[in-house]
Amino acid sequence: MIEILGKEIPNQLNELTIQQFEDITEIHNDSSLDIIEKHIKVFELLGVSEDEMVEADIDFETFKKFVQDFNQKTDASIVKEVEIDGYNYKAYEEEFKLSVKDMKVIEKIINSKHKGYLSELVAVLFKRTDLSKVEHYDKAHIKHKAKLFREQKAELAVPYLVHIGQKFSKQIENATTEVVE
């Protein structure tokens, strides 16, 4: 947590929810906003309005320090299993590997670039241990799990996002090499 104008603002992966992380990502991807506007919108999302900053007569150097403090991130590691509402959700057994089915569903989610894609991605990876494979991939079940995961901390999702992002970049790199050759 960092403090801005006497308010505690979450800034670490173990403090932000997946929903907040998705909202912050959406703000940063909004090409209609300039850099300062993006940071102001993020602070507003987390509880400090632009009006409060104007009223407190925040100078640019102080604002810049708020942004620097906010952007201090900690690493998070891949979590194998989580319990939500009395149900166990497991991402893998021995070591994390993406199945073809997972990649197919995840690729569709990522390519759609819709709001809430990160929580859906996590919903695909984490499978409720008391359900069958058919139920895991049901669209309605994935949507339901995504709602549950949005309330979890971002430290659960971000390591998977990084891992999957690396897989996709290698896939794109290999596809480009094949075309060139």
Side-chain angles (χ1 to χ4, degrees), residues 7-19:
K7 294 183 179 181
E8 292 289 313
I9 303 297
N11 74 317
Q12 299 297 313
L13 295 177
N14 64 351
E15 298 166 346
L16 293 163
T17 65
I18 291 173
Q19 178 69 61

Side-chain angles (χ1 to χ4, degrees), residues 81-91 93 122-133 135-137 141 144-145 148-149:
E81 195 169 355
V82 66
E83 183 180 323
I84 303 173
D85 293 341
Y87 293 102
N88 288 327
Y89 296 86
K90 191 180 276 191
E93 292 298 328
V122 174
V124 170
L125 296 175
F126 280 87
K127 294 157 181 74
R128 215 168 90 181
T129 56
D130 64 324
L131 297 178
S132 73
K133 284 187 178 189
E135 293 163 308
H136 292 311
Y137 296 104
H141 182 65
H144 169 72
K145 285 193 303 182
L148 297 174
F149 280 104

Side-chain angles (χ1 to χ4, degrees), residues 5 7 15-16 24 27 30-32 45 76 95 100 103 106 116 118-119 152 156:
L5 301 177
K7 294 183 179 181
E15 298 166 346
L16 293 163
I24 291 168
I27 290 167
D30 185 345
S31 60
S32 72
L45 170 73
E95 74 177 87
V100 172
M103 280 301 285
I106 288 169
L118 182 55
S119 52
Q152 300 301 304
L156 179 68

Side-chain angles (χ1 to χ4, degrees), residues 82-119:
V82 66
E83 183 180 323
I84 303 173
D85 293 341
Y87 293 102
N88 288 327
Y89 296 86
K90 191 180 276 191
Y92 60 94
E93 292 298 328
E94 298 302 319
E95 74 177 87
F96 178 63
K97 291 181 182 177
L98 287 167
S99 71
V100 172
K101 178 74 170 175
D102 285 349
M103 280 301 285
K104 178 182 170 190
V105 175
I106 288 169
E107 189 170 21
K108 284 184 181 186
I109 291 168
I110 290 174
N111 287 339
S112 72
K113 297 182 181 186
H114 65 280
K115 185 175 177 157
Y117 79 95
L118 182 55
S119 52

